[in-house]
Amino acid sequence: DYYRGPSPFSEPEVVAIKDFVENKNFLLSIAYHSSRSGCVSEKVIYPWEWTEQKPSPDFDVVSRLGIEIANLIPKEAESGNYYPVGSQSRKGNAHDWFYTNTGCIQYLIEVGSENIQPDDIDLINSTVNNNIVAALHLLKRAAGTNIQNGPDVHQITGIVTDAISGNPIYCDVSIDELNGPMLKPRMTDQLGRYRRLLVEGTYTINFESFGYESQSHTFVPSSGQ
């Protein structure tokens, strides 16, 4: 039932997802799921908080957006909203792999309550409708806009190019305050574009590419742009 295969990426459906994510260079993602056992429900789970001393390098960024998303999703059978939590299991979670290897921050949203995978169409539609506002909130965060009560922007983006030719450069873009030895390099895309989500603070961003002089800059992101 929960078989993961004899080795990492041994199963074709997992390889398909891996290839898709690596090719598209996503910034944010939502994975909707309903627990068949009912032990996990109405939660927003994100990477990661294995212990209080071992959060993910971007945890301040990741958890704030996770809390905002959870607060926008009402529970089905009682008052209140979904519960936000950093993942604590080290069992090959997709959202942990997405974040570590590609930089994409994925939120696992466990929908529904004691009504696991219902046949009631009205209940299914209600669950979908309850999640729409939160999904739009995440899309606004990715787009870098705070219109219609959207999130604070706190985003840095740009294009790295050759100073002479103007051609885009495939470049490793790291931020000192949001880096860790477990993270794969955060690279620009085919257009030389990079994007990083932030919160308030002062950051040092570094650009490194083979054959070019490395550069570093200190900056303070704005909540409005």
Side-chain angles (χ1 to χ4, degrees):
D1 197 26
Y2 290 95
Y3 180 67
R4 296 174 181 264
S7 61
F9 302 107
S10 62
E11 310 308 294
E13 63 272 27
V14 179
V15 173
I17 294 174
K18 172 181 177 292
D19 292 344
F20 179 64
V21 172
E22 290 180 333
N23 289 335
K24 296 302 181 181
N25 198 27
F26 294 113
L27 182 64
L28 289 167
S29 169
I30 293 177
Y32 290 104
H33 187 258
S34 58
S35 172
R36 285 165 294 172
S37 65
C39 61
V40 179
S41 62
E42 298 185 322
K43 289 185 177 181
V44 177
I45 304 170
Y46 39 82
W48 59 70
E49 191 175 23
W50 293 331
T51 70
E52 290 184 1
Q53 289 76 37
K54 291 185 178 180
S56 61
D58 288 87
F59 192 73
D60 288 345
V61 178
V62 175
S63 61
R64 179 177 298 185
L65 181 55
I67 292 169
E68 291 172 355
I69 291 171
N71 287 339
L72 292 171
I73 310 174
K75 289 185 175 182
E76 175 188 306
E78 58 185 65
S79 62
N81 299 300
Y82 277 32
Y83 181 72
V85 61
S87 62
Q88 299 175 356
S89 168
R90 308 183 196 186
K91 297 180 179 179
N93 297 307
H95 45 272
D96 291 343
W97 185 91
F98 274 43
Y99 165 72
T100 302
N101 288 272
T102 74
C104 173
I105 300 170
Q106 183 179 85
Y107 293 89
L108 171 61
I109 299 183
E110 296 279 359
V111 301
S113 60
E114 68 274 9
N115 297 307
I116 304 301
Q117 300 182 356
D119 294 325
D120 185 336
I121 298 300
D122 291 336
L123 179 56
I124 293 172
N125 288 335
S126 175
T127 301
V128 172
N129 289 332
N130 286 342
N131 277 270
I132 287 177
V133 173
L136 289 174
H137 187 83
L138 181 135
L139 289 173
K140 292 174 186 177
R141 186 70 165 100
T145 177
N146 54 15
I147 62 171
Q148 299 174 333
N149 298 317
D152 288 341
V153 177
H154 286 134
Q155 182 179 149
I156 184 169
T157 183
I159 297 177
V160 183
T161 60
D162 184 287
I164 297 175
S165 68
N167 293 329
I169 298 174
Y170 190 57
C171 179
D172 179 357
V173 182
S174 64
I175 295 178
D176 287 348
E177 293 77 12
L178 305 176
N179 205 1
M182 76 296 291
L183 302 182
K184 295 291 179 66
R186 301 329 195 194
M187 307 300 295
T188 55
D189 62 17
Q190 65 271 22
L191 300 177
R193 170 75 66 179
Y194 67 91
R195 299 175 179 86
R196 291 296 297 270
L197 301 181
L198 309 165
V199 293
E200 62 277 351
T202 301
Y203 299 91
T204 299
I205 190 169
N206 309 291
F207 303 90
E208 298 183 6
S209 183
F210 180 78
Y212 291 88
E213 181 179 352
S214 300
Q215 294 192 25
S216 297
H217 303 278
T218 299
F219 68 98
V220 176
S222 169
S223 63
Q225 62 183 15

